[in-house]
């Protein structure tokens, strides 16, 4: 644990920061995410972190944990209510409408990477500032889109060599079939009102679905025999869901149907899903999302079907982190005298100009200490030049793994280094 001096300033509680060398791993995973999504035709959106509060109350829903208890909301200097975004979907929809993206292209596939803010109780895998890798597709109502996204996510986990992630899916129906299910569920819950937690009791009349996903043990118990939404789906929703399941079967993507999967945000219609990993403990959802065919219109745009997901970056790294190698400088240039430093500096500049990663210390540290640092940085080779090497006109090249050392004449340094970078 780091010891803080009294007058030092710390981050806000639960705000997660990523330091080296972990930040190298994050970059690699982020690059892999970008490559994968761009391969599937997605393009990046970089959006505002701060939004009018109304954007979230209208999209996520007034009777959800996020809006009721978890938003960082404040008045700015002109008394406008602003909120640090608790998730990305609402902002992407806001941008989709604001920039009329639907007019530019019939299908829009957009992704984002960045921090989200929720005032939750910090614990393992749960932070108040956390990061998401997310994506949203607009303009495609077909179940093929749902399947494509799920397959792509599963592929991402495979690329990162993450095993043991289970996909759960459900359908929440649409405006045609959900109202009658809500009524059924409401009557069922009213009979058991006394065993529900205060939140579920309060939300019971306006938003009974929340009880299905409440973590409170007495609520869980109370909803065991509750009506199941997938038994109330209209023919179109039923068809959409069974076609999706059929496609997932065709491509061999395993899934479990979980009829309690209602998600903590109100905008979903039809498909919802979560990728769960037991290894994560209590906060076991590594990615989640679904279809939200009404939200674009509800936020003032033209009716447009949409489907998306977000991956929790911290949770993803808990599953993938240690398996990923750090990206390290290939070569450490190690001078043992001022004249050696003078000789190596132009080489160092040249290597870095060619985007070949190298390090060079300016502080005249001992050989031992410079080699120790190179080891810590995970460097492949050390190029050592001391007074003896200056006199000889040849540097020592040390393979940091095998400890094998060879001599390279100064006049053939450039050629020799080229080979090392290509190994
Ligand atoms: P969500 O389920 O609220 O969905 O969050 C998605 C993922 O973000 C979670 O599965 C989890 O991995 C991660 N996450 C959520 N809260 C925290 C936290 N406090 N600390 C660390 N990680 C967290 C959404 O945000 C939707 N916008 C997903 C979506 C996109 N639906 C459609 N499009």
């Amino acid at each position: 644990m780091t010891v803080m001096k009294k007058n030092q300033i710390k981050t806000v509680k639960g705000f997660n920061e990523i330091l080296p060398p972990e930040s190298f791993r994050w970059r690699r995973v982020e690059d892999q995410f970008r490559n994968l999504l761009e391969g599937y035709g997605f393009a990046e959106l970089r959006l505002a972190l701060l939004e009018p509060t109304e954007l979230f109350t209208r999209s996520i829903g007034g009777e959800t944990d996020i809006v009721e208890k978890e938003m960082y909301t404040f008045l700015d200097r002109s008394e406008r209510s602003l909120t640090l975004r608790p998730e990305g979907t609402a902002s992407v929809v806001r941008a989709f409408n604001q920039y009329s993206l639907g007019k530019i292209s019939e299908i829009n596939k957009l992704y984002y990477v960045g921090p989200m803010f929720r005032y939750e109780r910090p614990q393992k895998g749960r932070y108040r500032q956390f990061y998401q890798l997310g994506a949203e597709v607009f303009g495609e109502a077909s179940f093929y889109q749902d399947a494509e996204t799920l397959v792509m996510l599963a592929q991402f986990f495979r690329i990162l060599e993450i095993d043991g992630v289970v996909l759960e899916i459900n359908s929440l129906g649409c405006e045609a079939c959900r109202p009658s299910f809500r009524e059924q569920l409401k009557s069922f819950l009213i009979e058991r009102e006394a065993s529900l937690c205060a939140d579920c009791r309060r939300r019971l009349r306006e938003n009974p679905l929340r009880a299905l996903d409440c973590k409170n043990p007495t609520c869980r118990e109370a909803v065991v025999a509750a009506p199941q939404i997938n038994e109330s789906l209209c023919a179109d929703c039923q068809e959409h869901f069974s076609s999706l399941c059929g496609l997932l079967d065709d491509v061999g993507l395993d899934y479990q149907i979980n009829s309690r999967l209602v998600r903590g945000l109100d905008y979903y219609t039809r498909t919802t899903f979560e990728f769960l990993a037991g290894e994560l403990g209590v906060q076991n959802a590594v990615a989640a999302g679904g279809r939200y065919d009404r939200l674009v219109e509800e936020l003032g745009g033209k009716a447009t079907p949409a489907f998306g997901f977000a991956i929790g970056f911290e949770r993803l790294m808990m599953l993938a982190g240690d398996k990923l190698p750090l990206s390290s400088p290939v070569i450490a240039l190690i001078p043992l005298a001022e004249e050696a430093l003078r000789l190596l500096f132009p080489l160092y500049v040249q290597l870095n100009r060619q985007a070949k990663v190298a390090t060079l210390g300016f502080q005249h540290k001992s050989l031992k200490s410079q080699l120790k640092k190179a080891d810590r940085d995970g460097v492949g080779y050390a190029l050592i030049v001391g007074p003896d090497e200056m006199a000889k006109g040849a540097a020592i090249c040390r393979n940091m793994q095998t400890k094998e050392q060879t001599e390279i004449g100064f006049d053939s340094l450039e050629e020799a280094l080229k080979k090392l970078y290509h190994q």
Side-chain angles (χ1 to χ4, degrees), residues 66 70 86-90 112 116-118 120-121 123 125-132 134-136 263-265 267-268 273-275 280 283-292 307-316:
I66 296 183
E70 296 171 1
E87 57 114 41
T89 311
Y112 51 92
M116 307 292 158
F117 305 85
R118 297 185 194 175
E120 294 191 87
R121 197 166 52 79
Q123 57 176 240
R126 191 162 77 188
Y127 305 92
R128 289 181 174 173
Q129 174 175 327
F130 61 98
Y131 296 80
Q132 283 186 347
E136 317 291 342
R263 314 264 303 118
L265 308 101
Y267 47 63
Y268 293 107
F273 71 89
E274 286 186 351
F275 280 91
L280 289 174
Q283 304 300 326
N284 62 347
V286 60
R291 183 162 278 288
Y292 50 98
F307 191 95
F309 69 86
I311 303 171
F313 211 152
E314 284 83 357
R315 296 185 196 177
L316 184 74

Side-chain angles (χ1 to χ4, degrees), residues 9 37 91 133 136 177 228 241 245 281 329 334 351 353 385:
I9 298 168
L37 270 86
S91 298
L133 302 157
E136 317 291 342
C177 51
Q228 311 236 339
F241 192 58
C245 294
I334 298 189
L351 288 172
R353 273 191 191 138
V385 182

Side-chain angles (χ1 to χ4, degrees), residues 186-260:
K186 202 196 298 183
S187 319
F188 175 89
L189 293 172
I190 286 173
E191 283 170 27
R192 291 155 184 82
E193 196 164 349
S195 33
L196 299 180
C197 73
D199 279 344
C200 288
R201 273 205 305 274
R202 189 167 38 76
R203 294 168 180 164
L204 177 55
R205 282 162 184 87
E206 289 301 317
N207 202 345
L209 265 71
R210 290 274 71 80
L212 292 179
D213 127 289
C214 181
K215 303 283 179 287
N216 189 306
T218 59
C219 296
R220 286 194 156 202
E221 176 94 34
V223 300
V224 168
Q228 311 236 339
I229 182 128
N230 40 19
E231 285 165 8
S232 306
L233 296 179
C234 62
D236 285 350
C237 288
Q238 185 59 57
E239 168 78 20
H240 186 99
F241 192 58
S242 56
S243 304
L244 169 62
C245 294
L247 273 187
L248 297 181
D249 292 337
D250 286 354
V251 296
L253 181 59
D254 291 338
Y255 58 88
Q256 290 169 10
I257 297 175
N258 173 0
S259 59
R260 299 257 180 281

Side-chain angles (χ1 to χ4, degrees), residues 83-139:
T83 294
L84 277 172
R85 62 179 188 189
E87 57 114 41
T89 311
S91 298
V92 179
V93 173
R94 193 259 310 132
F96 179 81
N97 288 340
Q98 182 173 344
Y99 305 111
S100 304
L101 299 182
K103 283 193 191 144
I104 301 168
S105 161
E106 197 187 337
I107 310 286
N108 280 271
K109 296 173 116 179
L110 304 163
Y111 76 86
Y112 51 92
V113 176
M116 307 292 158
F117 305 85
R118 297 185 194 175
Y119 192 84
E120 294 191 87
R121 197 166 52 79
Q123 57 176 240
K124 185 174 164 236
R126 191 162 77 188
Y127 305 92
R128 289 181 174 173
Q129 174 175 327
F130 61 98
Y131 296 80
Q132 283 186 347
L133 302 157
E136 317 291 342
V137 179
F138 297 96

